[in-house]
Amino acid sequence: MAAAKAKREEANAHVSGQANEPLSDLPHTLTIEQISTEIGANLDDGLTAAEAKARLEKYGKNELDDGPGVSPVKILIRQVANAMTLVKRTTVSFGIGSYIEAGVISAVIALNITVGFFQEFSAEKTMNSLRSLSSPTASVIRDGNTIVVPTGELVFGDLVEVKVGDTIPADIRLVEAMNFETDEALLTGESLPVQKDANSTFEVNTGPGDRLNIVYSSSTVTKGRGRGVVFATGMTTEIGSIAAALRGENSKRRRVKRKPDGSAKPHRYLEAVALTATDFVGRFLGVNVGTPLQRKLSKLAMLLFAIAVVCAIIVLGANKFSNNREIIIYAVATGLSMIPASLIVVLTITMAAGTKRMAKRHVVVRKLDSLEALGGVTDICSDKTGTLTQGKMVVKKAWIPSKGTYAVGTSENPIDPTIGDLSHHKAAPREESNDGESSEKHLPVSSSEQLLNDNNDLEQFLNIASLANLARVYKNEDEWKARGDPTDIAIQVFASRFDWNRTRWTSDNDPVWVQKAEYPFDSSIKKMSVIFESAEHSMVFTKGAVERIFESCSGICSADGDVELTEEIRGQILENMEALASQGLRVLALASKELTNKVDEQKVPERAAIESDLVFRGLVGLYDPPRPETGDAVTACHASGIAVHMLTGDHPSTARAIALQVGILPTNMAAIAQDKTESMVMTAGQFDKLSDNEIDALPLLPLVIARCSPSTKVRMIEALHRRGRFAAMTGDGVNDSPALKCTDVGIAMGLAGSDVAKDASDIVLTDDNFASILNAVEEGRRMFDNIQKFILHLLAENIAQACTLLIGLVFKDRSSLSVFPLAPVEILWVIMITSGMPDMGLGFEAPAHDIMSRPPHPLEVGVFTREVLLDMVVYGLWMAALCLSAFSLVMFGFGDGNLGSGCNDSYSVECDTVFRARATTFVCLTWFALFLAWEMVNMRRSFFRMQPKSKKYFTQWAIDIWQNQFLFWAIVAGFVTIFPTLYIPTINHVVFKHTGISWEWGIVFVEAILFFAGVEAWKWAKRVYFRRQMRKKGGHIEDLEKKAFAAYFDSE
């Protein structure tokens, strides 16, 4: 507390613009050299990991002081005020009159609160730690490597890189800014973005909004990119000082609706008070807080409370509303039998455990609602780059008109030029494609020297590749590193395979090539050029989009030297480009020309003059290879009834090729009708020009949309919704936010994603991997299944107990008062002690073997499907029938049928048979509750055959129950705890109102066998029914591709 107070005082005393540690002056007044020296920053390689760790310990985490995290007091209050606990407390107070029962029930409630408190406290701590995983990240340079770290781990002096869409992670003094603008409305109120200038310095008294060399924490990058040094973190930042001044508790009071002049009528005050009170009651009961499922179950608790009251009234009515204490206790017992005590606690623990499991599988849950939604996803709309593919560009092929095609073999490290075989083939790509040849058939070359031998055209090509390139690829301590644009890095690595790296020609004291001018890449021009001079030559090197390079070329290198670029040759080049693009390659063109005169650096020629009359030197095909696991993940999606759509900004040919490789498109495209083939792969232009009605009229929605824009993604989601589909959408950029918000499950990329996209998402993939989406869906389905299992288990027990007690009203003693077959404490014991831990064990159950071969569950139905509701009634009635038969057998079959008098209150010789019958019923119900938990592991498969493919016919069930050890030991504990309640004197007669049994164990075993027989018979009947339903729908389709694309292959 003292440390927190000191931290707040320090924040309040903060001087605007000051750093974590006082410098010679405020950072915006210092030059780049001054600030880097005083802070101790390295502008090339950043801080070392050791220095960053030391500074983190010294200055603390880069986060605002949000006050206390997990509050034990609030959790305890929530437990006491929990809807279920409230019902129990109300019921107990209603039935007070027997101090022993009241004491035991109160003790059990106290135990429930204690266990619930520690479980929820643990769950909250887990969720709190997982929330930190979904916090914004920052791209920081440490030890010469660019890495991604949580913003909380940024330290004073870190070298940070930011780009469009990023949220600024700390207060930063810029050292480099490229067309860089930020939105500082949060801090300054300025509505327009602010253009930044890294090289300027400003006066001390310059206001925050005019410090153009500073970017502030929590502002957003709207344009360009920049790099800078962190000078203030956490509460020392500008936004931190504002937070310190404005900190206050969030008000839970409804505001009074006022007129424009600020006045309000008296009824508006009453309305605000009423709404505030309603909100408080709703929070107290849990019906307006939490996830939709939690709210639904809290409302179920209220419904069950009403049913409990009705049951209690029935009990009193059947006994002519007698004020006898035993009758009141019976009514209390019947009411308690309808309360699933551990329902909300088990749900909370299951969700917390699920989010923890997801985090281990590279999925961070930002919104708990998504946990319930993931299992119902029917369509996944995924980006290509970095999600389906590795996100690392590699040059796969290069074509030089005069020489043929050069290819690069596979490489585990895309930036290591020493890995991957080089090969050469004289055929052009269009000829190679027509002949059916592939790069794998190229003859391998032992070394690059052989290729360069007497090969001037290759040298010219490599000059452009290495020099018209801003990337840096270098070796540092036996490790290859790269910095720059991914495309430039890939081309630079290709040049480095021939030892043609840019540094070889430009880095020495006497460089071979000297750069004289640069014409940077522009999205409107789609090419970049540089002018380099050597001792003999002055050259222009240009690379860019093929169609734009064409515009600038008048010649082409051929086997006979440089010749005129005719229309026929242009057509051949385009055919080669299409051949490379059809292989999934991104194609760029390279060109050059020699200048007749040297270039004056002070008077650089016009771009139009430089980029004209170039000589076309060739094509380079770059490839972002699919992740190794993507194909299997897409196949698994198809097996589970999930359609996968690729929405990418790439060229249609590239998108189609990748989609075919990973299985998004079927291999046998020729077997599909023409109209469906055309709708399978579309461009954004084609899709966007269609009206909503025309999109809805399409036979099927496209599986691939190329050249996709953010608005296209939104329209795709809307089209899926109109067809009743439930969609997940991936996104990484700022412009993806609308699609992420309107989709059912928004999925942001944790590594490449912008902070704006993460804020708009429901879950974040920490590895940007498509296979992790499948992990999330599997976890969502597992959690949904487990929630269904323990809800069914709990409510079936409630039905069994309620029916046993209500039907048991017919058992009347000599005083014409009902003799209850189960005592109140027995009921509480079964509900809270026997069942609570097995329910939790069901929440931890592993996924079923067929979980990803089933279609998505319909979310509009939720957990309470017709099957679950029917199971609940069947199992509940069967258990009630067996319990009543057990009571009747002991009482009337083997006993004398004398129900005595006062047997609800105390033990006597006359009541011995009643107490034995009650004990037998209690043991039966306890065993049924425990065995039902094991039966619920799979709601359709036999308990003795849950693994249908297993050859261990007689022992597989034992292996299965051992898999979930939490559930196993919970059930064992349930068995063990029966015996003290039966045989310890005083506890059995006074507390539980039963006595020890002997020969009655035979009845218990027979009843247990009948229980298993009934449940197994019902499961068998369900399996027969569902098999018949499947046959009616066409049966099981072995060919997965035919099953996944059945709608496309269907000729109708």
Side-chain angles (χ1 to χ4, degrees):
M1 290 293 290
K5 184 178 180 181
K7 193 173 181 180
R8 283 193 291 269
E9 290 175 354
E10 181 182 338
N12 290 331
H14 172 64
V15 176
S16 175
Q18 184 55 281
N20 281 46
E21 201 170 85
L23 308 177
S24 61
D25 212 332
L26 296 181
H28 62 272
T29 68
L30 303 176
T31 64
I32 294 173
E33 293 74 18
Q34 287 176 312
I35 191 111
S36 62
T37 302
E38 293 191 30
I39 288 179
N42 185 325
L43 300 185
D44 293 321
D45 294 331
L47 299 176
T48 63
E51 177 64 20
K53 183 179 179 181
R55 293 191 179 199
L56 185 63
E57 292 174 356
K58 179 178 179 181
Y59 299 108
K61 286 200 167 188
N62 174 37
E63 52 192 25
L64 300 181
D65 178 17
D66 291 328
V70 180
S71 171
V73 175
K74 289 183 179 179
I75 292 174
L76 182 61
I77 292 172
R78 270 204 304 272
Q79 281 295 320
V80 175
N82 181 281
M84 299 299 182
T85 305
L86 174 67
V87 171
K88 292 192 292 289
R89 289 171 63 89
T90 305
T91 310
V92 170
S93 63
F94 171 79
I96 220 81
S98 175
Y99 295 109
I100 293 175
E101 277 82 355
V104 171
I105 293 172
S106 297
V108 173
I109 290 174
L111 178 63
N112 187 58
I113 290 173
T114 303
V115 172
F117 167 78
F118 283 109
Q119 288 169 337
E120 188 171 350
F121 182 66
S122 174
E124 285 289 335
K125 285 176 68 177
T126 299
M127 293 301 298
N128 200 48
S129 64
L130 291 175
R131 274 191 286 270
S132 67
L133 292 177
S134 65
S135 64
T137 54
S139 179
V140 60
I141 299 171
R142 289 181 183 168
D143 292 318
N145 297 313
T146 302
I147 60 174
V148 177
V149 300
T151 56
E153 295 180 13
L154 274 189
V155 298
F156 176 67
D158 257 331
L159 186 61
V160 176
E161 294 179 335
V162 286
K163 63 185 183 303
V164 61
D166 286 352
T167 299
I168 304 297
D171 284 3
I172 296 172
R173 170 61 164 91
L174 291 171
V175 298
E176 178 184 322
M178 183 69 72
N179 199 20
F180 189 62
E181 294 182 2
T182 61
D183 180 358
E184 297 177 353
L186 178 70
L187 186 70
T188 64
E190 176 61 50
S191 59
L192 296 176
V194 180
Q195 176 81 43
K196 296 296 181 177
D197 182 0
N199 296 314
S200 301
T201 58
F202 301 91
E203 297 294 328
V204 174
N205 58 359
T206 303
D210 296 321
R211 299 169 189 167
L212 303 184
N213 56 6
I214 301 291
V215 287
Y216 298 103
S217 175
S218 299
S219 59
T220 305
V221 181
T222 59
K223 189 177 181 182
R225 59 181 177 84
R227 183 189 299 183
V229 176
V230 174
F231 68 84
T233 60
M235 294 300 290
T236 320
T237 61
E238 203 70 25
I239 201 74
S241 62
I242 295 173
L246 298 180
R247 180 179 288 108
E249 290 294 321
N250 290 329
S251 175
K252 292 184 173 64
R253 291 182 297 176
R254 292 287 192 107
R255 293 187 177 183
V256 177
K257 292 183 180 179
R258 300 181 182 275
K259 296 179 180 179
D261 61 2
S263 63
K265 293 183 178 180
H267 76 276
R268 292 297 184 186
Y269 291 93
L270 292 174
E271 179 186 55
V273 171
L275 290 173
T276 302
T278 303
D279 290 346
F280 173 78
V281 172
R283 286 193 301 273
F284 187 74
L285 298 177
V287 296
N288 62 0
V289 291
T291 70
L293 182 58
Q294 287 171 329
R295 294 194 294 270
K296 188 181 293 184
L297 292 180
S298 292
K299 291 175 182 176
L300 173 65
M302 297 299 99
L303 174 63
L304 292 176
F305 174 65
I307 295 173
V309 171
V310 171
C311 289
I313 292 172
I314 291 172
V315 171
L316 293 172
N319 289 275
K320 301 177 181 179
F321 292 95
S322 170
N323 60 0
N324 185 288
R325 186 182 66 180
E326 296 175 13
I327 298 303
I328 295 175
I329 292 172
Y330 196 114
V332 170
T334 308
L336 287 174
S337 69
M338 289 305 301
I339 309 303
S342 54
L343 186 58
I344 299 297
V345 171
V346 174
L347 181 65
T348 303
I349 302 304
T350 301
M351 285 190 162
T355 55
K356 197 170 184 178
R357 281 172 61 104
M358 283 190 177
K360 290 179 181 177
R361 301 183 74 180
H362 310 294
V363 180
V364 176
V365 178
R366 296 188 68 253
K367 298 174 184 175
L368 280 178
D369 297 25
S370 63
L371 293 178
E372 301 158 27
L374 279 168
V377 168
T378 61
D379 293 73
I380 297 175
C381 299
S382 176
D383 190 15
K384 177 184 76 69
T385 305
T387 307
L388 294 167
T389 62
Q390 296 181 27
K392 300 173 182 177
M393 299 299 289
V394 176
V395 171
K396 188 176 182 182
K397 291 188 177 180
W399 172 65
I400 299 175
S402 60
K403 298 297 180 183
T405 305
Y406 297 84
V408 181
T410 57
S411 170
E412 296 176 357
N413 185 353
I415 63 172
D416 187 344
T418 64
I419 302 177
D421 294 330
L422 285 167
S423 56
H424 173 251
H425 197 277
K426 291 183 179 179
R430 63 193 178 97
E431 299 164 340
E432 195 177 289
S433 177
N434 291 337
D435 294 338
E437 294 180 342
S438 64
S439 59
E440 285 75 16
K441 293 185 180 180
H442 288 166
L443 296 175
V445 177
S446 58
S447 67
S448 58
E449 287 80 3
Q450 293 178 356
L451 291 174
L452 284 167
N453 185 34
D454 192 27
N455 195 339
N456 181 64
D457 287 338
L458 177 58
E459 290 182 2
Q460 292 287 346
F461 186 91
L462 293 174
N463 280 338
I464 306 168
S466 64
L467 299 176
N469 195 314
L470 303 180
R472 185 180 173 217
V473 177
Y474 60 99
K475 195 172 185 180
N476 184 12
E477 297 180 357
D478 297 326
E479 182 183 358
W480 283 92
K481 297 183 178 181
R483 190 173 297 166
D485 178 78
T487 300
D488 279 357
I489 290 173
I491 296 174
Q492 193 68 255
V493 169
F494 178 74
S496 300
R497 294 181 184 280
F498 298 87
D499 191 24
W500 221 262
N501 192 299
R502 179 187 177 102
T503 54
R504 173 186 173 187
W505 308 111
T506 62
S507 294
D508 295 337
N509 294 328
D510 185 20
V512 176
W513 289 100
V514 177
Q515 183 170 338
K516 294 296 183 180
E518 177 184 330
Y519 302 88
F521 177 87
D522 187 279
S523 57
S524 61
I525 300 173
K526 293 188 178 180
K527 57 189 171 185
M528 66 91 64
S529 298
V530 290
I531 298 176
F532 271 86
E533 289 183 358
S534 66
E536 298 86 14
H537 305 284
S538 179
M539 298 293 298
V540 175
F541 300 129
T542 303
K543 77 168 187 291
V546 177
E547 59 273 17
R548 295 305 175 89
I549 295 295
F550 266 180
E551 297 170 359
S552 302
C553 289
S554 59
I556 182 173
C557 66
S558 69
D560 300 323
D562 296 348
V563 298
E564 182 183 355
L565 184 62
T566 64
E567 288 300 320
E568 181 183 356
I569 295 175
R570 287 176 188 267
Q572 293 173 359
I573 293 173
L574 287 175
E575 288 178 16
N576 285 314
M577 182 196 77
E578 290 294 339
L580 290 173
S582 67
Q583 299 171 35
L585 304 183
R586 179 188 177 194
V587 186
L588 297 178
L590 276 59
S592 67
K593 76 174 180 180
E594 184 170 1
L595 297 175
T596 55
N597 301 314
K598 298 285 185 178
V599 173
D600 183 358
E601 293 184 49
Q602 303 300 319
K603 192 176 180 181
V604 178
E606 291 292 328
R607 182 165 194 160
I610 289 298
E611 293 178 340
S612 63
D613 295 325
L614 300 175
V615 176
F616 184 87
R617 293 290 174 186
L619 301 175
V620 59
L622 298 104
Y623 182 59
D624 180 10
R627 291 176 180 266
E629 61 273 22
T630 297
D632 290 340
V634 171
T635 301
C637 283
H638 290 158
S640 59
I642 299 173
V644 181
H645 306 261
M646 178 198 291
L647 277 59
T648 178
D650 269 333
H651 189 277
S653 299
T654 306
R656 182 189 176 98
I658 295 292
L660 282 166
Q661 286 185 47
V662 301
I664 291 176
L665 293 175
T667 53
N668 189 13
M669 294 282 285
I672 300 174
Q674 182 67 27
D675 61 331
K676 292 181 180 178
T677 304
E678 291 175 354
S679 69
M680 288 177 82
V681 182
M682 301 178 72
T683 64
Q686 293 170 325
F687 187 78
D688 289 340
K689 74 179 181 181
L690 299 175
S691 67
D692 288 349
N693 290 334
E694 288 173 325
I695 292 174
D696 294 341
L698 290 173
L700 294 157
L701 288 175
L703 293 175
V704 177
I705 300 182
R707 297 300 192 199
C708 195
S709 66
S711 60
T712 309
K713 292 184 177 183
V714 173
R715 292 199 72 199
M716 181 66 171
I717 293 296
E718 291 172 346
L720 286 167
H721 285 166
R722 289 196 299 273
R723 295 188 182 216
R725 310 291 285 177
F726 198 83
M729 169 72 78
T730 68
D732 53 11
V734 180
N735 48 13
D736 289 328
S737 298
L740 290 174
K741 284 184 177 179
C742 77
T743 192
D744 300 293
V745 180
I747 304 171
M749 302 296 108
L751 297 176
S754 67
D755 293 334
V756 174
K758 291 176 191 176
D759 287 341
S761 69
D762 299 300
I763 64 175
V764 177
L765 304 184
T766 58
D767 61 351
D768 292 11
N769 192 336
F770 180 83
S772 295
I773 302 176
L774 197 67
N775 293 342
V777 171
E778 182 182 348
E779 283 298 319
R781 290 189 178 190
R782 184 192 69 85
M783 246 186 299
F784 186 90
D785 276 5
N786 291 349
I787 289 169
Q788 268 192 332
K789 290 171 187 176
F790 70 68
I791 286 177
L792 174 55
H793 180 251
L794 274 169
L795 297 183
E797 280 183 60
N798 292 144
I799 290 173
Q801 291 176 113
C803 290
T804 300
L805 291 169
L806 289 174
I807 297 172
L809 288 171
V810 301
F811 302 127
K812 295 201 174 184
D813 61 12
R814 287 198 303 269
S815 305
S816 296
L817 297 177
S818 296
V819 176
F820 38 76
L822 288 170
V825 175
E826 288 177 330
I827 295 167
L828 258 293
W829 188 267
V830 172
I831 291 174
M832 304 183 69
I833 304 300
T834 303
S835 299
M837 298 307 285
D839 286 330
M840 235 165 275
L842 286 172
F844 298 142
E845 189 61 40
H849 73 279
D850 64 341
I851 195 167
M852 293 307 290
S853 60
R854 307 191 308 235
H857 58 253
L859 284 169
E860 64 273 11
V861 176
V863 293
F864 295 103
T865 62
R866 280 185 293 181
E867 181 184 357
V868 168
L869 294 173
L870 191 56
D871 284 354
M872 193 186 304
V873 173
V874 170
Y875 295 147
L877 292 178
W878 182 236
M879 287 191 288
L882 292 174
C883 286
L884 289 168
S885 66
F887 185 87
S888 299
L889 278 171
V890 176
M891 195 71 235
F892 305 105
F894 297 98
D896 56 9
N898 181 15
L899 292 168
S901 179
C903 294
N904 289 341
D905 187 36
S906 60
Y907 176 79
S908 65
V909 175
E910 185 184 27
C911 293
D912 183 72
T913 307
V914 172
F915 271 50
R916 283 179 174 274
R918 193 177 288 148
T920 306
T921 306
F922 169 66
V923 175
C924 284
L925 183 61
T926 302
W927 279 29
F928 298 161
L930 296 173
F931 288 142
L932 185 63
W934 268 333
E935 285 282 5
M936 289 302 96
V937 169
N938 193 305
M939 293 167 60
R940 293 182 187 172
R941 300 288 320 170
S942 168
F943 168 71
F944 303 100
R945 193 76 179 140
M946 283 191 276
Q947 307 298 332
K949 296 181 181 179
S950 172
K951 301 297 183 183
K952 300 174 182 177
Y953 299 106
F954 301 105
T955 58
Q956 185 60 49
W957 66 271
I959 297 170
D960 290 336
I961 65 174
W962 183 246
Q963 294 299 315
N964 186 343
Q965 293 189 26
F966 188 101
L967 179 60
F968 176 84
W969 290 113
I971 291 175
V972 169
F975 278 113
V976 170
T977 53
I978 290 174
F979 297 98
T981 69
L982 285 176
Y983 299 109
I984 295 179
T986 305
I987 289 179
N988 55 4
H989 289 175
V990 178
V991 177
F992 283 85
K993 299 293 190 293
H994 61 213
T995 191
I997 57 176
S998 53
W999 59 267
E1000 292 88 352
W1001 281 107
I1003 293 176
V1004 172
F1005 279 104
V1006 172
E1007 295 279 2
I1009 292 170
L1010 290 173
F1011 168 78
F1012 271 116
V1015 174
E1016 290 294 324
W1018 177 249
K1019 284 187 172 183
W1020 173 82
K1022 288 205 300 180
R1023 290 195 297 274
V1024 170
Y1025 170 77
F1026 285 114
R1027 277 199 296 268
R1028 288 178 178 175
Q1029 291 296 110
M1030 181 176 287
R1031 280 197 292 270
K1032 286 180 181 179
K1033 294 178 181 178
H1036 182 70
I1037 301 174
E1038 294 296 334
D1039 187 343
L1040 181 58
E1041 183 170 276
K1042 185 177 179 181
K1043 173 185 173 183
F1045 300 103
Y1048 295 91
F1049 288 117
D1050 188 0
S1051 60
E1052 295 181 5

